[in-house]
Amino acid sequence: MADLTTTLGPLTLPNPVLTASGCAAAGRELHQFFDVARLGAVVTKSIMTRPRSGRATPRMAETPSGMLNSIGLQGPGIDSFLEHDLAWLAEHGARTVVSIAGGHTDEYVELARRLRGHPAVSMIEVNISCPNVESRGQVFACDAIASSRVIGAVRRAADPGQPVFAKLSPDVTDITLIARACADAGADGLSLINTLLGMAIDTDTMRPVLGGVTGGLSGPAIRPVAVRCVWQVRQALPHLPILGMGGIRSGLDALQFILAGASAVSVGTAVFGDPLAPVRVLAELDAELDARGFGSLADAVGFAHRDVAALV
Ligand SMILES: Cc1cc2nc3c(=O)[nH]c(=O)nc-3n(C[C@H](O)[C@H](O)[C@H](O)COP(=O)(O)O)c2cc1C
């Protein structure tokens, strides 16, 4: 059995498999199937300052090898989150990565301040795939300057003991430019990737399938895009820790991300079909590391980059 301990910047985790934001709420539902404290950490649904009801229905559509969602950032708001969700996670001994989202830099800052001093918060993941209200709705993560402003402001406002990871969108021409801007602004690491913007048309009604018209594509269909993003960012910024995700359903899928340069992975869409997916992926990853003679997960991180000059 390989040593599965991993680090995400200053944070040490007993193993590298986490949930993905928005796919396991705040852990309660998954806890019916397995003890969520067994995971590296639970990543919570992106929380905003105030309660929100999300976007119009229908909000989900199946696609070949994936799904589209336009949930919007439905959630209870930070007050209720702290009182009910974070308290529940702490009670159950789960390490928690709190995902935060906003429409203004000030909202992200307020959220980071509210999380200060909470021992149950292991890390903050900043979901910057949100429309920037001050910039005609342009998604923060699609603009290096807007990304760096939010991440810099969150890093300054957050508890110095809580690592801040920026979660990037793949819907950009060069993800390494955004990655570098976030790193320069003080990000302790990056979460790669959020969903890809997609759309489906119902050919009976001849209208968009989703109430929100467009939605985020996730699941195995996006895995090669996600692995490519992890690879490119690892090459550009070899010392910046990466939490990888996108279509992971098995230990072998997770291993691709680790070999590309991720120090840990999140399992998202897979839990809708198989609630045990995160713990199964963990066991399978362990076996695959053993089968390849890795004594520790750390030895496998970025292993595919060795002798890379020979590959290009
Ligand atoms: C239903 C659904 C809701 C999501 N909600 C969020 C969210 O609130 N915040 C966020 O950063 N990402 C959210 N995501 C994106 C996932 O965290 C993840 O980055 C993406 O789905 C790729 O991983 P996967 O293919 O394993 O699902 C959501 C994804 C899905 C499918």
Side-chain angles (χ1 to χ4, degrees), residues 228-253:
R228 180 266 298 173
C229 289
V230 171
W231 173 275
Q232 287 181 326
V233 171
R234 169 79 176 193
Q235 252 187 343
L237 300 161
H239 303 296
L240 198 65
I242 297 172
L243 170 59
M245 73 209 74
I248 296 176
R249 279 199 307 197
S250 70
L252 278 178
D253 297 342

Side-chain angles (χ1 to χ4, degrees), residues 55 73 101-105 108 126-150 167-173 178 182 194-198 214-216:
R55 293 172 88 182
L73 292 169
H104 297 264
T105 303
Y108 285 96
V126 191
N127 174 7
I128 50 174
S129 295
C130 302
N132 179 352
V133 174
E134 284 149 353
S135 185
R136 293 191 200 160
Q138 192 197 25
V139 171
F140 289 96
C142 294
D143 177 62
I145 294 170
S147 299
S148 101
R149 268 199 203 119
V150 172
K167 182 164 177 184
L168 303 194
S169 164
D171 292 337
V172 292
T173 312
I178 313 286
C182 292
N194 215 316
T195 52
L196 279 81
L197 193 64
T214 58

Side-chain angles (χ1 to χ4, degrees), residues 20-22 45-46 69 73 127 167 193-194 218-219 245-247 268-269:
S21 179
K45 167 86 185 160
S46 295
N69 91 82
L73 292 169
N127 174 7
K167 182 164 177 184
I193 57 173
N194 215 316
S218 63
M245 73 209 74
T269 300

